[in-house]
Amino acid sequence: MQTVEHETFAEPTEVRTFTHGRAEILNVGDSSIGRLVLEPGWRWSNDVKPIAGTDSCLAPHFQYHVQGRLGIRMDDGTEFIAGPGDVTSLPEGHDAWVVGDEPVVVVDWYGATDWARAAEAENPGTG
């Protein structure tokens, strides 16, 4: 039976910091939800790749874009910019970067569990 829970990003379960940003993680029920706060100059391939240890982000994402503009390039070459009010579903295999001088805030409903966490042999899909 599902129970009522109330959590807030004002007091996240975990905060993972990295150059030019942070991932705030909330554990709610059996799920983890992330709020990614990415500062101007942030790029996954520069700031998170050294943590993940993979050539591109291998974490799939289902995200709501709250603030700022995020450039995204899939490994197949598909490229676009997501902005406030957009929802993106990204399979594994991508790079991303902040476009412009406004911080990006994204709520990630799917890919936050292991994002920006060092890859391990039994769980290589962390991006």
Side-chain angles (χ1 to χ4, degrees):
M1 182 170 152
Q2 188 174 5
T3 60
V4 173
E5 291 191 47
H6 176 246
E7 303 294 338
T8 176
F9 280 113
E11 297 179 18
T13 306
E14 177 184 1
V15 177
R16 299 179 200 141
T17 59
F18 41 84
T19 304
H20 295 112
R22 67 187 182 276
E24 302 166 345
I25 310 300
L26 283 182
N27 293 330
V28 182
D30 295 334
S31 299
S32 293
I33 300 161
R35 179 170 68 178
L36 312 180
V37 180
L38 311 171
E39 299 298 330
W42 178 86
R43 187 176 187 114
W44 184 91
S45 54
N46 295 333
D47 300 322
V48 180
K49 179 179 179 175
I51 298 167
T54 57
D55 289 334
S56 61
C57 182
L58 299 183
H61 300 282
F62 185 65
Q63 302 172 322
Y64 174 71
H65 296 259
V66 178
Q67 174 184 313
R69 297 177 49 202
L70 188 67
I72 299 163
R73 181 180 304 122
M74 303 303 299
D75 286 352
D76 70 3
T78 303
E79 187 172 319
F80 60 94
I81 296 175
D86 291 351
V87 174
T88 54
S89 177
L90 306 174
E92 67 178 45
H94 54 272
D95 191 9
W97 59 94
V98 172
V99 175
D101 59 3
E102 181 181 11
V104 167
V105 177
V106 175
V107 176
D108 194 336
W109 295 96
Y110 184 73
T113 302
D114 293 316
W115 195 79
R117 180 180 285 167
E120 299 172 356
E122 67 274 5
N123 190 14
T126 60

